[in-house]
Amino acid sequence: MALVTISGYPSSGKTRRAQQIKHALEARLHDPSYAGPSLKVVVLSDDALNIARDAYRDSRSEKPARGALFTSMQRQMSQDTILIVDALNYIKGFRYQMYCAARELKLRVCTVYVVATEEMCKEWNAQRPEQERYSTETLDNLLLRYEEPSSMVRWDSPLFTVPWSDEDIPADQIWKAVTEGNVKPPNAGTQAVPKAPTDALRTLEATTTTIVAAIMSEQVGAGGMGGTVTLVVSDDAKPTITLPPRNITLSELQRIKRQFVTVHKKAITLGTTEKGAVDWSDKSIADKFVLYIEENLKA
């Protein structure tokens, strides 16, 4: 249904805001006037995944921590869930990765930027129990590396900024974003490439070879007069081709065949850019090949 990304300095009050959002959304879902689909609100956090604060002390230990968070997020995203990710989410590249994962599942998205000064974050961090506290070195490093969300980029939009001085969160706006916001189509780069069947290469080679042989045979019978003829490739594949009124040499047909096979071999091995399922049957290949031959013989 939706992904709500919480972002902000370490020890800036993100967890408090995440809980406020959760309670506000649940109140609206349980309201008697609500007539929408049945939804649940889930908060995913480092604490829920037992990710320790010292995991952020350097990039080597931070990478698997972010990986665990992202994997868990992917598992919990669904059409019946409003997922709130309560974590640092301080790297714009990671927020973009989360955004792409949400788009792939056609979920609505929004970002909540929890704002507090560096001095406040250091003070609040010092007041925490030792096991929940960032070390001074880690905290300073994270504050330095923080990449602020921007409403100007699509992966942070819509963006709701919540200063430390606000008692509450913009609940109405967040509710509207997660229930009525635009559902953007999946990014082309994230979609699975249609796969060709395992025998596509063999069918491509065999069908084009049969058509070349059939054209040469028809030419012998017609004496090079040309015209429209039907080529029998198989019981299902019987394409019609219009030949020019001249003798077509075998080398000419072989050259056209090589060009056709080269282009389509790339589509088989690398994946096609055509939308929907691609037909790699002998009938489909035969129909495409005779059209390709006609176009090249005109040139």
Side-chain angles (χ1 to χ4, degrees):
M1 176 66 177
L3 172 68
V4 180
T5 302
I6 308 290
S7 182
Y9 282 159
S11 299
S12 59
K14 295 184 298 300
T15 297
R16 173 185 166 224
R17 300 303 187 181
Q19 291 301 319
Q20 285 180 318
I21 294 170
K22 182 177 188 292
H23 295 152
L25 295 178
E26 287 179 335
R28 285 163 172 75
L29 290 171
H30 297 150
D31 191 288
S33 63
Y34 174 69
S38 178
L39 302 171
K40 59 183 177 181
V41 184
V42 176
V43 176
L44 177 65
S45 66
D46 285 348
D47 290 338
L49 297 174
N50 295 315
I51 297 175
R53 299 291 188 270
D54 63 359
Y56 294 96
R57 67 183 182 273
D58 56 50
S59 58
R60 180 176 296 180
S61 58
E62 181 181 339
K63 189 173 181 179
R66 282 205 311 271
L69 179 69
F70 186 74
T71 300
S72 182
M73 182 197 77
Q74 287 182 301
R75 284 199 301 263
Q76 298 194 51
M77 286 193 304
S78 68
Q79 291 297 328
D80 66 349
T81 301
I82 299 175
L83 181 62
I84 303 170
V85 181
D86 170 26
L88 287 174
N89 301 324
Y90 72 98
I91 300 174
K92 61 183 178 182
F94 184 61
R95 294 197 299 270
Y96 175 70
Q97 188 180 4
M98 296 166 67
Y99 164 80
C100 288
R103 279 186 63 173
E104 194 170 351
L105 294 176
K106 298 182 180 179
L107 306 183
R108 295 181 175 89
V109 297
C110 73
T111 303
V112 177
Y113 178 25
V114 180
V115 178
T117 66
E118 293 187 10
E119 291 72 21
M120 287 179 172
C121 293
K122 291 177 181 179
E123 181 182 343
W124 293 338
N125 182 66
Q127 294 172 1
R128 286 180 164 184
E130 187 174 351
Q131 65 273 17
E132 299 178 12
R133 192 185 306 160
Y134 293 96
S135 69
T136 302
E137 182 182 357
T138 300
L139 181 61
D140 289 341
N141 190 23
L142 289 171
L143 291 172
L144 184 65
R145 291 190 291 151
Y146 185 78
E147 297 176 340
E148 184 176 324
S150 170
S151 60
M152 300 299 292
V153 297
R154 62 189 183 278
W155 57 87
D156 287 334
S157 300
L159 176 65
F160 305 107
T161 301
V162 185
W164 76 92
S165 55
D166 287 3
E167 286 297 322
D168 208 350
I169 42 96
D172 291 338
Q173 294 171 271
I174 295 173
W175 170 256
K176 187 174 182 179
V178 300
T179 58
E180 302 176 22
N182 293 330
V183 179
K184 298 181 180 179
N187 196 329
T190 67
Q191 298 186 71
V193 176
K195 297 291 182 65
T198 54
D199 63 344
L201 282 172
R202 182 189 61 79
T203 304
L204 175 66
E205 187 64 40
T207 302
T208 52
T209 299
T210 300
I211 288 176
V212 168
I215 291 175
M216 295 304 297
S217 177
E218 287 290 341
Q219 280 199 136
V220 172
M225 296 297 293
T228 301
V229 297
T230 299
L231 309 175
V232 179
V233 177
S234 67
D235 292 340
D236 296 326
K238 298 177 181 180
T240 300
I241 186 171
T242 301
L243 299 174
R246 65 177 177 85
N247 279 318
I248 307 168
T249 65
L250 177 60
S251 61
E252 189 176 3
L253 287 175
Q254 291 285 20
R255 175 182 57 79
I256 295 172
K257 171 181 174 290
R258 283 195 300 272
Q259 292 172 347
F260 181 84
V261 168
T262 299
V263 171
H264 288 76
K265 188 180 291 185
K266 288 181 180 178
I268 291 173
T269 55
L270 301 179
T272 178
T273 57
E274 296 181 37
K275 292 183 179 180
V278 179
D279 187 358
W280 291 103
S281 65
D282 56 354
K283 182 179 184 305
S284 176
I285 293 173
D287 290 340
K288 290 181 179 180
F289 186 41
V290 294
L291 288 175
Y292 188 82
I293 291 173
E294 287 179 345
E295 288 297 320
N296 279 269
L297 289 178
K298 290 177 184 176

